[in-house]
C-alpha cells in the first residue's frame, strides 16, 4: 500500500496560507548569508527575518480578519513571536505544518525547522508522515531538496549538518531530549572545541513547530524552548490550552459537518441504577486550608420511587445510608471515617473497612461489563469488516484498557475475556471468515511504560510465560502503518493504556472500546481523535463516503453522558455559540402584595371560616382482596429473572447552534447474575415506606404476596426489579381501596389567616394584576391558570377569589394535596339581578380537561380525595373547571 495525498483541499491550503502571509514583504534570503558564531567557531547558515514587529502585527491582523478570528494577544510571546493554528484531529495537521515549512522556504528562504513533540508516540507519527509524504512533496514542489531525521544524541553529526546545510532541514525532537542540564545536547564536546551542540542549534535561529504545545507550557518547558533561540514558533493542536496569535481555526463542528472526519456513534454500556448494591465512585478529593472533601458518584432513591445516579460532596462523618444522602438500605454502614490526599492521589475510608481510591469504583460489575464491551466490539468489528470488504477497506479496533496488567499478565482479565469472546464468536456461521484465526494472530499492544533503558520494549507474554521483545508490535503500530492496513497483515485489534491517546492515529480505526473500571479519565476528544481520520482503501486512496466513514465508540457509560461530556470539552476548547434561554437575572422581578382591606371583608372571612378546617382520613382495607389483586397484577408483568446491562447506541449529530447532540439508533441488553443475596422483604418495605409513608403493610401480608407470585426466579435473581414492580402494584391497589372507601373528619385544628405572606416575589411576566383577590397580583403557574384569573376578573358576579397558598394542604394516601382556588360568587339571573340572599362559597381545581380519566392517576386520585374532604367533611362545593366561564 502507498498512501495517496490530495494537494488541493481548500481548508488545508487556507491553513498554510495563513502562516505564509504573516511574513508578507519579507525578501527571499539566499544561503550566501551566513552567521559566524564565535562560540562554536563554525559558520552556520541561519534563518533570517527582516520585518519589524509592527509590519508583522499588521500582517497578523490582515490574516485574522480574512479568517474571521479575533486577536488573542500581541507580539512577542514567550521570548519570540508565537502563532497558533487550531485544527480538529484527523484533518491533516502534521501534513499541513510540513507543507507550511516547505512553503516558507519557497517564499522566503527559511530553511531550518525543528519539530518539537511531547511524546514518543507523537514523534513516531511525525516521522511516519515525513516518510509517506516525501514523494508527494517532491512532486508538488518540483523535487525541492530537503532532509528530515529524528534527533539522536548518539549522532551529533546531525546537528553539524543541520547548522551548516544550505537546504531545508527538518529535525524532529522530543522536549525531553533538551529540557534538562543533563541532556547530552547541553554537554560540552571536543568536536566543538569545548562548546555544546545546542550552541550550534542556537546559531541557526530555527523555526520551531510545536506539535501538541498544550503539553509543553510549564515554566521549564517554556525556558527550554526559548533556549533554542527560535526565530518564531508555530503551534499546532486541536486542543490548545492558550492561543497565541491564532491565525487559522478549523473547529470540530466544521470538520464534522463538512465530512472532513468520520461520523461518530456511541454504544453506551450501563448498569441499571436500580441494582440492589452499594455503588460508590470516588471522583476526586479536594483539600483546602482547613477542610478536605470527597466528591463521589452514588445511587439515590428519589421521591418518585426511582433510583438515579447522582454526585455528592462528602466530609468526614457523613453517612451515605441516611435519607439526606442516598435513602437506600444498601448503603448502611458506609459512614465516612476518613478522607486523605497523599502522593498526588486521594482516597476515602468508611466505618465498615471499605477503602476507595480516586478514580476507582465500588460495586461496579467489572467482569460482566468488560465482557459485554469486548463482545460488542468484536461483533461490530466482524460485521463492519464484512460490510466494508467490498470497498477494499481493512478495519481496526482500538482498546483503551485501565491497567496494563489486565492485558499482559497470564491471568489478565481483559486478555482472557478477549480470547474467550473471540473463540466463541468465530464459531458462528455468521463470522466463519474468522474461524481459522487465533486471538494471538490478530492482536498487538503498545504500552509506553514497558520501554527499558536499552530502548527495547518488553512484557511478560501471557501465552508463553516468557519475557519477549515486542519490538515487532511497536514497529507495526507506530511505524509500519501501511502494513497494518493491509489485508495481508492479520493484526486488527490494538491494545493500549494511554500511550496512544495523543499523536498516534490510524485512518482505519473504526471501533474504540474504553475498558475502564470507571468513566475514562482520558478526554473524549482524545479518545475519538485516534479514529476520526477518514479511511483509506488498499490502494491508499482516501474514502470520502459518509455512509462508510463511521467511528463506533463502545463506552463504559451511557451514550448520552458520553456525548454530553464531549460537548462540554468541545465548548471549553472552542466556545459554544448557543444563545440559550433568556437568563433569569435579565427578567424583571416583581411582587404580589397582600391587600389587608380585602382580608377584612365579610366575604373573605366567611369563605375562610368555611374552608380553613384541617381533617384526617381513615379507611378500611380488605387484606385478602389486596393480596389477590396485587398478585394478579404482578403475574401479568414481564420481569426478567436477572438484572441486565443496557446497551444503547446513538449517532452524534450537530445542531444548528454548533452543539454536539445524540440521536438514539439502537438498544439492547445482556443479563448478569448478582454475586450476593438481597433481603427482598427489607427491600420492599424500605421502598414502600420511602415513596409513600402512609402505605404500611405487615410482613405477613408481604410474605403472602411473595409466596403466591409466579415470579420466584426474579424474587431471588433480580430482587430490585421485582421490588420495583411489587411496590408499584401495592401502591396502586392500596390507593384504589383507600380512595374508594376514604372518609374525612375534622380534627379541631385549622389554618390561620396570619399564615398569608405580606409579599410574594416572582417574575413580572408570570403575574396578572388582580382587583378581586386578597393580593394585588396573582402568580400563575400555567396558561390555564392565567386565563382562569383573567376570566374571573371580567365577571361582575365574582365577589372575591383566592389562589390557595402552598401551606394550605389536604392529606391524602398518596401525599399532600394543594387545591387551586377558593371563590365567592353572587348568584344572578339572566338579567344580572341577584337571585339569592346568600353568596356561594366554592373551591375549584383548574385543569385543561374535566375528563378525569385523561389525567395522571395521582392527579385524579388527589381530586377524588379533595371531593371527600370539601364536600363531605366541610360542606363546601368542590369541582374541576377548565375556564372561568364554568364557575
Amino acid at each position: 500500500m502507498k498512501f495517496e495525498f490530495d494537494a488541493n483541499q481548500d481548508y488545508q491550503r487556507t491553513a498554510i496560507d495563513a502562516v505564509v502571509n504573516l511574513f508578507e514583504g519579507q525578501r527571499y534570503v539566499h544561503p550566501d548569508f551566513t552567521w559566524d558564531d564565535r562560540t562554536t567557531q563554525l559558520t552556520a547558515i541561519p534563518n533570517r527575518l527582516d520585518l519589524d514587529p509592527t509590519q508583522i502585527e499588521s500582517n497578523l491582523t490582515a490574516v485574522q480578519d480574512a479568517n474571521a478570528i479575533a486577536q488573542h494577544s500581541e507580539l512577542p510571546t514567550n521570548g519570540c513571536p508565537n502563532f497558533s493554528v487550531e485544527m480538529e484531529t484527523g484533518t491533516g495537521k502534521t501534513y499541513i505544518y510540513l507543507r507550511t515549512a516547505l512553503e516558507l522556504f519557497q517564499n522566503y528562504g527559511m530553511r531550518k525547522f525543528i519539530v518539537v513533540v511531547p511524546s514518543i508516540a507523537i514523534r513516531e507519527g511525525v516521522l511516519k508522515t515525513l516518510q509517506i509524504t516525501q514523494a508527494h512533496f517532491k512532486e508538488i514542489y518540483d523535487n525541492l531538496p530537503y532532509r528530515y531525521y529524528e534527533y539522536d544524541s548518539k549522532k551529533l553529526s546531525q546537528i553539524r549538518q543541520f547548522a551548516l546545510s544550505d537546504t531545508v532541514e527538518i529535525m524532529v525532537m522530543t522536549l525531553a531530549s533538551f529540557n534538562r542540564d543533563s541532556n547530552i545536547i547541553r554537554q560540552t564536546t571536543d568536536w566543538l572545541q569545548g562548546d555544546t551542540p545546542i550552541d550550534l542549534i542556537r546559531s541557526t535561529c530555527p523555526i520551531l513547530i510545536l506539535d501538541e504545545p498544550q503539553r509543553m507550557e510549564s515554566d521549564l518547558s517554556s525556558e527550554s524552548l526559548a533556549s533554542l533561540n527560535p526565530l518564531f514558533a508555530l503551534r499546532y493542536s486541536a486542543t490548545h490550552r492558550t492561543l497565541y496569535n491564532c491565525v487559522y481555526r478549523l473547529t470540530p463542528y466544521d470538520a464534522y459537518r463538512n465530512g472532513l472526519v468520520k461520523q461518530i456513534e456511541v454504544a453506551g454500556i450501563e448498569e441499571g441504577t436500580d441494582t440492589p448494591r452499594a455503588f460508590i465512585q470516588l471522583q476526586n478529593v479536594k483539600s483546602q486550608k482547613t477542610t478536605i472533601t470527597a466528591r463521589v458518584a452514588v445511587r439515590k432513591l428519589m421521591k418518585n420511587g426511582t433510583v438515579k445516579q447522582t454526585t455528592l460532596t462528602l466530609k468526614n462523618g457523613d453517612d451515605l445510608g441516611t435519607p439526606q444522602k442516598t435513602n437506600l438500605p444498601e448503603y448502611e454502614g458506609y459512614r465516612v471515617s476518613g478522607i486523605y490526599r497523599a502522593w498526588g492521589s486521594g482516597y476515602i475510608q468508611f466505618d465498615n473497612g471499605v477503602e476507595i481510591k480516586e478514580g476507582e469504583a465500588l460495586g461496579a460489575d467489572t467482569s460482566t461489563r468488560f465482557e459485554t464491551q469486548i463482545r460488542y466490539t468484536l461483533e461490530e468489528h466482524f460485521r463492519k469488516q464484512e460490510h466494508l470488504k467490498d470497498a477494499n477497506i481493512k478495519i481496526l479496533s482500538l482498546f483503551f484498557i485501565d491497567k496494563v496488567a489486565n492485558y499482559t499478565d497470564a491471568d489478565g482479565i481483559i486478555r482472557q475475556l478477549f480470547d474467550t469472546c473471540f473463540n466463541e464468536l468465530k464459531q458462528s456461521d455468521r463470522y466463519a471468515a474468522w474461524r481459522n484465526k487465533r486471538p494471538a494472530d490478530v492482536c498487538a499492544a503498545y504500552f509506553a511504560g514497558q520501554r527499558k533503558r536499552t530502548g527495547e520494549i518488553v512484557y511478560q507474554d501471557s501465552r508463553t510465560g516468557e519475557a519477549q521483545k515486542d519490538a515487532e508490535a511497536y514497529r507495526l503500530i507506530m511505524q509500519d502503518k501501511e502494513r497494518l492496513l493491509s489485508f495481508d497483515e492479520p493484526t486488527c485489534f490494538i491494545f493500549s493504556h494511554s500511550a496512544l491517546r495523543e499523536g498516534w492515529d490510524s485512518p482505519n480505526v473504526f471501533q474504540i472500546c474504553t475498558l475502564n473500571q470507571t468513566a475514562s479519565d482520558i478526554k473524549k476528544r482524545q479518545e475519538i481523535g485516534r479514529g476520526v481520520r477518514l479511511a483509506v482503501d488498499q490502494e491508499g486512496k482516501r474514502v470520502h463516503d459518509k455512509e462508510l466513514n463511521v467511528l463506533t465508540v463502545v463506552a463504559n457509560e451511557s451514550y448520552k453522558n458520553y456525548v454530553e461530556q464531549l460537548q462540554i470539552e468541545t465548548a471549553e476548547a472552542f466556545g459554544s455559540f448557543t444563545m440559550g434561554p433568556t437568563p433569569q437575572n435579565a427578567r424583571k422581578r416583581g411582587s404580589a402584595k397582600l391587600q389587608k382591606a380585602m382580608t377584612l371583608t365579610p366575604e373573605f372571612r366567611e369563605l375562610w371560616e368555611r374552608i380553613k378546617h384541617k381533617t384526617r382520613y381513615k379507611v378500611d382495607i380488605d387484606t385478602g382482596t389486596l393480596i389477590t389483586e396485587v398478585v394478579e397484577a404482578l403475574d401479568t408483568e414481564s420481569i426478567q429473572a436477572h438484572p441486565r446491562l443496557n446497551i444503547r447506541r446513538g449517532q452524534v449529530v450537530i445542531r444548528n447552534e454548533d452543539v454536539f447532540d445524540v440521536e438514539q439508533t439502537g438498544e439492547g441488553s445482556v443479563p448478569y447474575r448478582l454475586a450476593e443475596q438481597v433481603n427482598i422483604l427489607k427491600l420492599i418495605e424500605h421502598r414502600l415506606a420511602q415513596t409513600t409513608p402512609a402505605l404500611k403493610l405487615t410482613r405477613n401480608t408481604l410474605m403472602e404476596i411473595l409466596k403466591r407470585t409466579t415470579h420466584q426466579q426474579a424474587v431471588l435473581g433480580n430482587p430490585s426489579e421485582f421490588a420495583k414492580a411489587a411496590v408499584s402494584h401495592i401502591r396502586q391497589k392500596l390507593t384504589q381501596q383507600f380512595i374508594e372507601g376514604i372518609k374525612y373528619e375534622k380534627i379541631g385544628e385549622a389554618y390561620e389567616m396570619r399564615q398569608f405572606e405580606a409579599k410574594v416575589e416572582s417574575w413580572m411576566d408570570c403575574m396578572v394584576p388582580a382587583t378581586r383577590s386578597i393580593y394585588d397580583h396573582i402568580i400563575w403557574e400555567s396558561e390555564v391558570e392565567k386565563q382562569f384569573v383573567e376570566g374571573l376578573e371580567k365577571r361582575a358576579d365574582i365577589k372575591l377569589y383566592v389562589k390557595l397558598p402552598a401551606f394550605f394542604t389536604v392529606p391524602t394516601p398518596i401525599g399532600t394535596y394543594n387545591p387551586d382556588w377558593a371563590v365567592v360568587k353572587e348568584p344572578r339571573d339572566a338579567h344580572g339581578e341577584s337571585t339569592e340572599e346568600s353568596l356561594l362559597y366554592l373551591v375549584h381545581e383548574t385543569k385543561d380537561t374535566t375528563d378525569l380519566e385523561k389525567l395522571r392517576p395521582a392527579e385524579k386520585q388527589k381530586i377524588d380525595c379533595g371531593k371527600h374532604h370539601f364536600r363531605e367533611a366541610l360542606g363546601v362545593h368542590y369541582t374541576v373547571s377548565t375556564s372561568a366561564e364554568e364557575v
Side-chain angles (χ1 to χ4, degrees):
M1 177 190 294
K2 182 181 178 182
F3 288 111
E4 292 190 5
F5 297 91
D6 181 359
N8 300 308
Q9 298 195 71
D10 290 342
Y11 75 94
Q12 293 183 343
R13 185 68 250 184
T14 303
I16 295 167
D17 290 343
V19 174
V20 173
N21 293 340
L22 286 170
F23 308 105
E24 186 73 33
Q26 166 68 27
R27 72 178 182 87
Y28 190 91
V29 178
H30 292 279
D32 55 355
F33 174 84
T34 60
W35 180 280
D36 187 6
D37 193 330
R38 300 175 188 173
T39 62
T40 65
Q41 306 300 313
L42 294 170
T43 304
I45 298 178
N47 291 317
R48 196 175 85 190
L49 184 60
D50 300 323
L51 299 181
D52 60 50
T54 303
Q55 199 167 354
I56 297 177
E57 284 187 33
S58 177
N59 290 342
L60 171 63
T61 301
V63 169
Q64 289 176 331
D65 287 345
N67 292 324
I69 297 173
Q71 288 196 0
H72 294 279
S73 60
E74 296 181 356
L75 300 175
T77 51
N78 283 358
C80 72
N82 277 241
F83 305 99
S84 298
V85 174
E86 194 164 46
M87 296 191 66
E88 177 61 344
T89 302
T91 56
K93 166 173 60 73
T94 308
Y95 172 90
I96 286 170
Y97 67 61
L98 294 177
R99 261 191 80 175
T100 300
L102 300 180
E103 292 274 347
L104 289 173
F105 170 74
Q106 276 205 329
N107 284 273
Y108 309 117
M110 300 173 184
R111 64 194 71 226
K112 305 298 172 68
F113 300 90
I114 299 179
V115 180
V116 185
V117 299
S119 72
I120 293 172
I122 297 176
R123 181 194 68 193
E124 295 298 338
V126 175
L127 292 170
K128 185 63 184 180
T129 303
L130 279 162
Q131 175 199 333
I132 63 179
T133 56
Q134 193 166 19
H136 169 71
F137 287 156
K138 284 186 179 296
E139 179 182 348
I140 63 175
Y141 290 109
D142 194 24
N143 286 316
L144 183 155
Y146 68 92
R147 279 191 289 257
Y148 70 87
Y149 37 87
E150 169 193 353
Y151 164 74
D152 187 342
S153 61
K154 298 176 183 177
K155 300 177 181 178
L156 293 180
S157 60
Q158 292 174 333
I159 294 180
R160 181 192 295 269
Q161 172 187 290
F162 181 84
L164 305 183
S165 168
D166 63 355
T167 61
V168 176
E169 300 285 331
I170 302 174
M171 184 160 56
V172 183
M173 305 178 72
T174 60
L175 180 66
S177 66
F178 66 91
N179 66 348
R180 292 181 177 85
D181 291 338
S182 59
N183 292 133
I184 291 176
I185 200 172
R186 295 181 181 274
Q187 306 300 310
T188 57
T189 176
D190 290 340
W191 66 273
L192 286 178
Q193 293 79 46
D195 290 320
T196 65
I198 201 170
D199 288 330
L200 198 50
I201 290 177
R202 289 190 185 109
S203 69
T204 68
C205 298
I207 295 168
L208 301 186
I209 298 175
L210 308 183
D211 195 326
E212 306 295 350
Q214 71 277 7
R215 294 176 59 183
M216 300 182 282
E217 291 194 350
S218 68
D219 290 341
L220 175 61
S221 298
S222 296
E223 291 172 7
S224 301
L225 293 169
S227 72
L228 298 177
N229 188 35
L231 188 68
F232 56 83
L234 304 176
R235 312 166 72 90
Y236 290 81
S237 178
T239 52
H240 287 282
R241 185 177 300 160
T242 305
L243 280 170
Y244 298 92
N245 301 312
C246 185
V247 297
Y248 179 77
R249 196 179 215 199
L250 177 65
T251 71
Y253 309 113
D254 291 333
Y256 197 83
R257 184 183 292 113
N258 296 323
L260 304 180
V261 293
K262 286 192 185 86
Q263 302 299 289
I264 304 166
E265 59 183 7
V266 182
I269 311 295
E270 50 184 320
E271 187 176 312
T273 55
D274 215 18
T275 304
R277 61 181 174 201
F279 169 80
I280 308 171
Q281 176 194 339
L282 179 56
Q283 296 180 339
N284 60 66
V285 171
K286 185 176 182 180
S287 56
Q288 296 177 319
K289 288 185 178 180
T290 59
T291 62
I292 185 167
T293 57
R295 187 168 180 81
V296 299
V298 296
R299 296 182 179 118
K300 183 175 182 178
L301 180 64
M302 312 306 286
K303 290 183 179 180
N304 62 1
T306 62
V307 177
K308 292 187 177 181
Q309 185 166 309
T310 186
T311 54
L312 301 174
T313 298
L314 302 179
K315 59 182 185 300
N316 196 38
D318 283 348
D319 189 345
L320 286 177
T322 62
Q324 294 78 13
K325 298 300 182 185
T326 68
N327 207 13
L328 289 170
E330 47 262 41
Y331 286 93
E332 290 180 5
Y334 285 95
R335 181 182 177 277
V336 180
S337 60
I339 304 172
Y340 306 95
R341 173 164 286 283
W343 302 291
S345 183
Y347 61 98
I348 187 171
Q349 292 178 335
F350 297 93
D351 281 349
N352 57 8
V354 172
E355 179 178 302
I356 306 173
K357 296 178 182 178
E358 208 166 32
E360 292 185 346
L362 169 77
D365 188 3
T366 303
S367 178
T368 300
R369 185 155 40 78
F370 278 5
E371 180 181 359
T372 302
Q373 288 182 262
I374 291 170
R375 188 178 297 273
Y376 189 92
T377 304
L378 280 167
E379 288 194 90
E380 187 69 15
H381 185 109
F382 293 165
R383 290 157 58 97
K384 199 172 289 185
Q385 183 60 84
E386 182 67 22
H387 178 63
L388 295 181
K389 182 173 60 178
D390 292 339
N392 217 18
I393 297 172
K394 176 189 172 182
I395 71 170
L396 306 175
S397 291
L398 174 62
F399 293 83
F400 281 117
I401 68 176
D402 61 337
K403 297 176 182 177
V404 174
N406 280 346
Y407 182 82
T408 60
D409 285 2
D411 58 349
I413 182 175
I414 290 175
R415 175 75 71 89
Q416 289 186 343
L417 288 172
F418 181 90
D419 289 0
T420 299
C421 292
F422 185 91
N423 288 328
E424 288 179 359
L425 287 170
K426 74 179 185 179
Q427 300 305 319
S428 168
D429 292 339
R430 186 174 187 179
Y431 310 129
W434 300 85
R435 191 160 294 164
N436 296 326
K437 299 269 198 298
R438 299 178 307 155
D441 298 334
V442 297
C443 293
Y446 172 53
F447 307 112
Q450 300 303 108
R451 182 180 288 272
K452 284 189 170 183
R453 290 181 182 177
T454 61
E456 297 174 341
I457 305 166
V458 299
Y459 65 78
Q460 194 74 15
D461 191 296
S462 63
R463 293 180 173 84
T464 65
E466 299 176 358
Q468 297 183 348
K469 295 180 180 179
D470 200 29
E472 173 58 25
Y474 177 81
R475 283 194 295 270
L476 178 64
I477 296 171
M478 304 301 295
Q479 298 172 338
D480 201 352
K481 290 187 176 183
E482 297 96 329
R483 180 161 67 91
L484 181 60
L485 297 183
S486 169
F487 281 127
D488 295 332
E489 169 56 51
T491 300
C492 53
F493 298 101
I494 300 171
F495 292 81
S496 182
H497 179 252
S498 57
L500 301 183
R501 69 183 182 182
E502 275 183 336
W504 181 91
D505 63 23
S506 174
N508 288 16
V509 169
F510 278 85
Q511 283 76 232
I512 294 177
C513 180
T514 60
L515 295 172
N516 302 60
Q517 291 190 29
T518 64
S520 172
D521 60 353
I522 299 176
K523 295 287 189 181
K524 309 304 181 192
R525 294 190 64 218
Q526 288 177 337
E527 287 179 343
I528 65 174
R530 303 318 103 215
V532 294
R533 192 178 298 275
L534 296 180
V536 298
D537 61 19
Q538 292 298 290
E539 296 179 358
K541 294 180 180 178
R542 194 72 63 185
V543 177
H544 294 278
D545 189 340
K546 267 191 176 185
E547 297 296 322
L548 299 182
N549 279 293
V550 179
L551 171 67
T552 302
V553 180
V554 184
N556 64 332
E557 57 187 304
S558 80
Y559 72 95
K560 287 185 178 179
N561 288 347
Y562 190 96
V563 178
E564 285 173 2
Q565 185 59 37
L566 173 63
Q567 170 56 27
I568 290 170
E569 292 176 11
T570 307
E572 287 175 350
F574 289 88
S576 178
F577 305 103
T578 307
M579 293 300 294
T582 304
Q584 289 189 341
N585 59 11
R587 295 164 61 185
K588 188 176 180 181
R589 297 283 294 182
S591 59
K593 299 175 183 177
L594 184 66
Q595 303 184 91
K596 292 186 178 181
M598 293 290 285
T599 65
L600 301 176
T601 61
E603 291 84 358
F604 177 75
R605 288 183 170 275
E606 178 62 23
L607 172 67
W608 194 249
E609 185 61 34
R610 291 173 180 250
I611 67 174
K612 69 179 181 180
H613 303 285
K614 295 182 181 181
T615 61
R616 65 184 175 193
Y617 63 84
K618 61 180 180 179
V619 67
D620 294 325
I621 298 297
D622 186 333
T623 303
T625 300
L626 175 67
I627 293 172
T628 299
E629 290 180 345
V630 170
V631 171
E632 287 177 353
L634 262 176
D635 289 350
T636 63
E637 285 267 358
S638 177
I639 304 175
Q640 300 290 339
H642 299 284
R644 305 180 74 83
L645 281 178
N646 299 318
I647 307 171
R648 294 187 177 90
R649 183 165 172 155
Q651 174 75 36
V652 176
V653 297
I654 296 184
R655 302 302 180 198
N656 292 334
E657 303 84 359
D658 273 1
V659 172
F660 282 124
D661 203 350
V662 63
E663 294 178 352
Q664 185 170 338
T665 58
E667 184 174 8
S669 63
V670 293
Y672 67 93
R673 296 181 180 275
L674 293 176
E676 65 277 350
Q677 292 294 317
V678 176
N679 187 323
I680 184 67
L681 275 177
K682 185 177 180 181
L683 188 61
I684 293 176
E685 286 177 329
H686 180 82
R687 299 286 174 90
L688 199 59
Q690 296 301 318
T691 57
T692 316
L695 305 183
K696 296 179 181 179
L697 296 182
T698 66
R699 283 208 155 197
N700 287 336
T701 300
L702 292 177
M703 280 298 300
E704 192 62 29
I705 292 172
L706 293 178
K707 288 178 183 178
R708 289 166 59 175
T709 181
T710 59
H711 290 294
Q712 295 303 311
Q713 284 188 324
V715 169
L716 298 175
N718 196 3
S720 188
E721 188 66 23
F722 177 85
K724 181 179 177 181
V727 167
S728 175
H729 289 298
I730 290 170
R731 290 177 60 195
Q732 182 182 351
K733 299 305 179 183
L734 262 178
T735 301
Q736 185 178 327
Q737 286 201 28
F738 273 25
I739 302 304
E740 290 175 354
I742 197 167
K743 291 183 174 58
Y744 281 89
E745 59 184 17
K746 295 180 182 180
I747 60 174
E749 298 177 9
Y751 293 107
E752 299 181 12
M753 289 175 59
R754 61 181 177 85
Q755 291 178 260
F756 282 96
E757 296 181 45
K759 183 170 65 174
V760 182
E761 291 191 349
S762 184
W763 307 109
M764 285 299 294
D765 51 10
C766 292
M767 300 170 64
V768 178
T771 60
R772 303 176 188 272
S773 185
I774 62 173
Y775 283 95
D776 62 356
H777 287 80
I778 301 297
I779 301 171
W780 53 270
E781 299 174 8
S782 68
E783 192 64 29
V784 172
E785 287 192 351
K786 178 184 178 183
Q787 294 176 3
F788 188 77
V789 172
E790 291 172 343
L792 292 179
E793 286 290 327
K794 295 175 183 177
R795 289 185 54 170
D797 58 344
I798 300 299
K799 307 298 290 183
L800 180 140
Y801 66 93
V802 180
K803 190 176 193 302
L804 293 171
F807 68 77
F808 191 98
T809 59
V810 177
T812 81
I814 54 172
T816 57
Y817 163 54
N818 174 219
D820 286 338
W821 311 94
V823 181
V824 181
K825 177 188 176 185
E826 181 182 30
R828 295 186 179 184
D829 61 20
H831 301 284
E833 299 292 334
S834 176
T835 58
E836 298 181 24
E837 292 183 1
S838 61
L839 301 174
L840 299 179
Y841 298 90
L842 318 169
V843 174
H844 279 260
E845 183 72 19
T846 45
K847 297 292 181 186
D848 57 5
T849 179
T850 56
D851 184 354
L852 301 188
E853 297 305 320
K854 293 182 179 180
L855 301 177
R856 287 182 288 115
E859 286 184 298
K860 178 181 180 300
Q861 290 160 359
K862 287 185 176 181
I863 287 172
D864 288 336
C865 289
K867 291 177 182 177
H868 289 287
H869 168 85
F870 286 108
R871 292 180 182 179
E872 297 171 10
L874 305 187
V876 175
H877 181 79
Y878 172 95
T879 192
V880 177
S881 302
T882 61
S883 66
E885 286 75 17
E886 296 176 6
V887 175

